[in-house]
Amino acid sequence: MNKLVCGMVVDEDLYKKYRSKKYKIGGREVSIDGIEIMSVSKEYENKLPEDAREAKQVADQIRSEIRQYYVAKDGRKEYVAMKHDTFDGYLKDLQEIHAKVAPERIQLKEKWNSAQKRWQDDQREFKGDEHYLAREKVRYLDAQEEYKSGIQALQQRTRNEIKAVQAEYDKHVNDFYAANGNRLDDSVVRLLNSGIKLTDAEIDGMVNQNRSNPTMLRLISDHCEKQGIENKSARVYGSLARKSGADEREAFKVVADMVEKAVCEDEVTSSVWSKQESHFKRLSDEQIGAMDTFWVRPAAREETGQNI
């Protein structure tokens, strides 16, 4: 039988560990049952806001500990270890790829420019020396081939590195948005199924508490729709959760396309996008910043330093 601690499924040993502990809230010791109630109760939030805030911090810390415990122990599917905590980390990986390959594209162009200039100078200065010009033309054509093959190799390497980042990114996005029974918050589920007529404020609180949990957002939204409850938060957040990361995927594509433009064959395009302090820096930073405004997104790992 599954055991729940702060809405998360745990094994018997971990369940007993947390049930045996006490937590300091408002100067008094509180059990895990008290933490679970106080962290979601509107009554506590209204009458004892400081206690409710401390209880929420403790509950968040407990959930973080549980995730880290299972990641370290056996990588259990409901707590898959990802490369980054939040999606913007993968866009920053693309920025790092750009910072590495863009200067290489510039160097290839500079070397080719030097070969072109040498050939042009030779044609002017040694136009009567056919043997010399023949040798230099071979050198010029070799430089041209080296330039073309260098660009192709750089493009392929860049694509491969982008694909590697995208594979990690897609895994994270898919895992985050996929319905997962292990991410159901049992206390909220029980309340939704209790038959109690919930107020708008209470539903808003449930939504706000689960902004980093698309499974719960969909469940709350579906419940409201089924019961004929009109709640804007549930409707909007549920709709965003059902988009399954479409906006996140588009943001990744935008930045990845800019990285590829920086190493493309077209000289004008690559010149524009390979400069570090250019359109790329500004626009990629904008995409990363926009992710902080997404209403549904993974929660960043918080180091509260709280001893629980």
Side-chain angles (χ1 to χ4, degrees):
M1 180 179 178
N2 288 336
K3 301 290 186 179
L4 291 168
V5 173
C6 290
M8 302 186 75
V9 179
V10 298
D11 57 50
E12 185 72 25
D13 290 340
L14 207 56
Y15 177 80
K16 290 179 179 178
K17 171 187 172 182
Y18 282 105
R19 290 294 160 186
S20 67
K21 297 178 72 172
K22 299 292 183 181
Y23 307 90
K24 285 285 188 180
I25 300 293
R28 65 186 187 281
E29 290 190 341
V30 178
S31 69
I32 188 66
D33 290 322
I35 295 296
E36 290 174 334
I37 294 171
M38 294 169 68
S39 64
V40 298
S41 170
K42 282 293 178 183
E43 184 177 355
Y44 270 98
E45 188 173 336
N46 292 331
K47 294 183 177 179
L48 298 168
E50 186 61 26
D51 288 4
R53 184 188 66 79
E54 291 181 11
K56 287 178 181 178
Q57 288 181 340
V58 172
D60 287 343
Q61 181 64 24
I62 289 172
R63 282 189 281 265
S64 177
E65 289 176 355
I66 292 172
R67 291 189 185 95
Q68 293 307 307
Y69 171 81
Y70 282 113
V71 166
K73 184 179 180 183
D74 57 13
R76 214 167 55 164
K77 186 179 185 301
E78 58 268 37
Y79 307 122
V80 175
M82 298 299 174
K83 182 178 181 183
H84 299 292
D85 291 334
T86 56
F87 293 146
D88 60 358
Y90 302 93
L91 271 61
K92 292 175 183 177
D93 287 344
L94 293 179
Q95 287 184 321
E96 291 180 6
I97 293 174
H98 180 274
K100 179 172 58 177
V101 301
E104 293 184 44
R105 179 63 177 89
I106 293 172
Q107 290 172 3
L108 286 170
K109 174 59 176 170
E110 290 174 347
K111 188 174 181 180
W112 170 234
N113 287 343
S114 296
Q116 287 181 301
K117 184 177 184 305
R118 179 188 176 103
W119 174 237
Q120 292 167 356
D121 291 344
D122 285 343
Q123 287 178 301
R124 284 195 304 269
E125 296 176 21
F126 302 97
K127 60 182 179 181
D129 192 337
E130 295 182 2
H131 293 292
Y132 178 82
L133 289 178
R135 290 195 303 272
E136 288 303 304
K137 186 172 184 179
V138 170
R139 184 175 179 176
Y140 166 77
L141 292 174
D142 286 344
Q144 186 180 54
E145 183 59 32
E146 182 181 348
Y147 175 60
K148 291 180 179 179
S149 61
I151 291 177
Q152 291 173 355
L154 181 59
Q155 287 175 325
Q156 186 59 53
R157 178 157 52 85
T158 301
R159 293 190 193 104
N160 290 342
E161 292 186 16
I162 290 174
K163 285 180 181 178
V165 175
Q166 185 169 8
E168 294 285 344
Y169 185 68
D170 287 342
K171 181 177 74 171
H172 197 163
V173 173
N174 290 337
D175 178 81
F176 178 69
Y177 281 102
N180 189 327
N182 290 300
R183 293 174 183 155
L184 292 175
D185 186 325
D186 190 61
S187 62
V188 174
V189 173
R190 288 200 307 269
L191 195 55
L192 291 175
N193 294 331
S194 68
I196 296 174
K197 187 175 181 180
L198 301 169
T199 66
D200 264 358
E202 288 170 333
I203 295 174
D204 288 344
M206 291 179 182
V207 171
N208 188 59
Q209 177 186 334
N210 287 282
R211 285 184 301 171
S212 296
N213 188 340
T215 296
M216 285 302 301
L217 293 175
R218 288 166 58 183
L219 181 67
I220 296 167
S221 176
D222 289 345
H223 172 84
C224 290
E225 183 177 351
K226 183 179 179 180
Q227 298 298 322
I229 300 170
E230 175 53 37
N231 180 275
K232 183 178 179 181
S233 294
R235 175 168 48 81
V236 171
Y237 276 92
S239 176
L240 292 171
R242 292 185 193 93
K243 290 180 71 175
S244 299
D247 294 335
E248 290 86 341
R249 297 180 203 281
E250 179 61 24
F252 186 94
K253 183 179 182 301
V254 168
V255 180
D257 286 348
M258 290 191 292
V259 176
E260 292 202 47
K261 286 179 181 178
V263 297
C264 72
E265 295 176 1
D266 184 80
E267 303 294 355
V268 175
T269 302
S270 65
S271 176
V272 170
W273 292 100
S274 59
K275 296 174 183 177
Q276 185 61 30
E277 297 300 329
S278 64
H279 295 304
F280 175 81
K281 175 63 175 173
R282 176 175 57 83
L283 295 176
S284 61
D285 280 347
E286 285 179 3
Q287 290 293 329
I288 291 171
M291 283 194 157
D292 288 337
T293 68
F294 289 178
W295 288 9
V296 179
R297 63 183 187 273
R301 184 178 303 165
E302 295 182 0
E303 301 294 341
T304 64
Q306 185 171 355
N307 183 11
I308 62 170

